Amino acid sequence: GQNIDQPTEMTATEGAIVQINCTYQTSGFNGLFWYQQHAGEAPTFLSYNVLDGLEEKGRFSSFLSRSKGYSYLLLKELQMKDSASYLCAVLDSNYQLIWGAGTKLIIKP
Amino acid sequence: GAVVSQHPSWVICKSGTSVKIECRSLDFQATTMFWYRQFPKQSLMLMATSNEGSKATYEQGVEKDKFLINHASLTLSTLTVTSAHPEDSSFYICSANRGDTEAFFGQGTRLTVV
């Protein structure tokens, strides 16, 4: 079956760095997305990786290793507003989105 | 865990016809559902927010007469693409909120208009 795993919850301190991991087993691969979702709001796009390596966008970076079925989202210089759920999703060979359950990130002062 | 089911997964239709996509929350009641559109390898674009028993709220630039949304019950929302054209070919995704903090996504519907 198809599966996306990510931690349920993580806690970090304001100003610190946090890495949210995502492992996947899917039938084919056409890219991996990371989304941020604040409570009660629609998710917003953070990143898309289809090739191995690190993509950096300001305070957020996303890494992909296709051979390992692994990705991470790295958040630097954490701010209180970064408290949210972070969703990992993979596009499979049929271009269907397989979603992780999301990681709730709690930022403490 | 909560499951959101979208149907159909794939649909091919002729230009000018209408297509209905269903989004069901299988084990919870969803007062709010969201409809998204995603072009290949691009971000999700929020199309509209569907509230049970009331009219949907459409995002700017989304034609409400073309993309009809009906949220008739707490477990079902439908998106009808009317008079579909090839440019409507895309990947449509729904999500359903359980409470205020949990969102669950459907597997998406790939629409191809020929």
Side-chain angles (χ1 to χ4, degrees):
Chain A
Q2 308 210 84
N3 195 49
I4 309 277
D5 284 316
Q6 52 182 129
T8 305
E9 187 174 296
M10 298 181 72
T11 303
T13 305
E14 191 177 14
I17 299 173
V18 72
Q19 177 175 311
I20 304 174
N21 296 324
C22 172
T23 57
Y24 63 89
Q25 292 174 306
T26 57
S27 54
F29 179 83
N30 277 300
L32 184 145
F33 293 85
W34 282 99
Y35 296 92
Q36 180 193 59
Q37 184 172 32
H38 287 99
E41 298 178 11
T44 55
F45 170 80
L46 291 178
S47 67
Y48 171 74
N49 293 67
V50 67
L51 299 176
D52 289 348
L54 186 69
E55 301 253 352
E56 296 186 73
K57 248 190 220 181
R59 294 190 299 114
F60 292 11
S61 303
S62 57
F63 171 82
L64 175 68
S65 169
R66 288 171 297 172
S67 62
K68 294 181 180 177
Y70 168 68
S71 172
Y72 68 72
L73 180 70
L74 190 72
L75 292 77
K76 301 176 187 176
E77 300 168 18
L78 285 170
Q79 301 174 11
M80 297 303 292
K81 66 178 183 179
D82 297 329
S83 291
S85 285
Y86 291 85
L87 299 160
C88 170
V90 172
L91 262 182
D92 71 7
S93 56
N94 293 319
Y95 281 94
Q96 291 204 2
L97 268 179
I98 314 300
W99 293 89
T103 299
K104 184 178 180 181
L105 178 63
I106 300 167
I107 310 295
K108 295 185 173 178
Chain B
V3 176
V4 170
S5 175
Q6 218 175 307
H7 178 81
S9 299
W10 288 80
V11 59
I12 299 174
C13 70
K14 289 186 177 179
S15 187
T17 62
S18 296
V19 173
K20 181 186 282 188
I21 303 169
E22 293 186 348
C23 180
R24 291 182 186 274
S25 56
L26 297 185
D27 58 358
F28 67 100
Q29 293 183 331
T31 54
T32 305
M33 290 186 175
F34 299 93
W35 285 97
Y36 302 89
R37 182 172 178 177
Q38 182 165 34
F39 295 96
K41 302 181 182 180
Q42 294 184 31
S43 179
L44 285 179
M45 182 193 80
L46 179 64
M47 298 175 66
T49 302
S50 168
N51 297 295
E52 187 268 337
S54 64
K55 290 184 179 179
T57 304
Y58 289 82
E59 296 300 302
Q60 192 172 13
V62 178
E63 299 174 61
K64 58 183 178 183
D65 293 330
K66 182 169 185 62
F67 298 100
L68 300 178
I69 291 172
N70 186 350
H71 194 155
S73 78
L74 287 171
T75 59
L76 174 65
S77 176
T78 59
L79 169 68
T80 302
V81 183
T82 62
S83 186
H85 291 283
E87 58 266 29
D88 298 325
S89 297
S90 190
F91 195 56
Y92 294 87
I93 301 162
C94 72
S95 73
N97 275 14
R98 183 170 69 183
D100 287 334
T101 59
E102 292 183 291
F104 300 92
F105 290 83
Q107 70 271 44
T109 298
R110 190 171 185 190
L111 170 64
T112 302
V113 184
V114 297

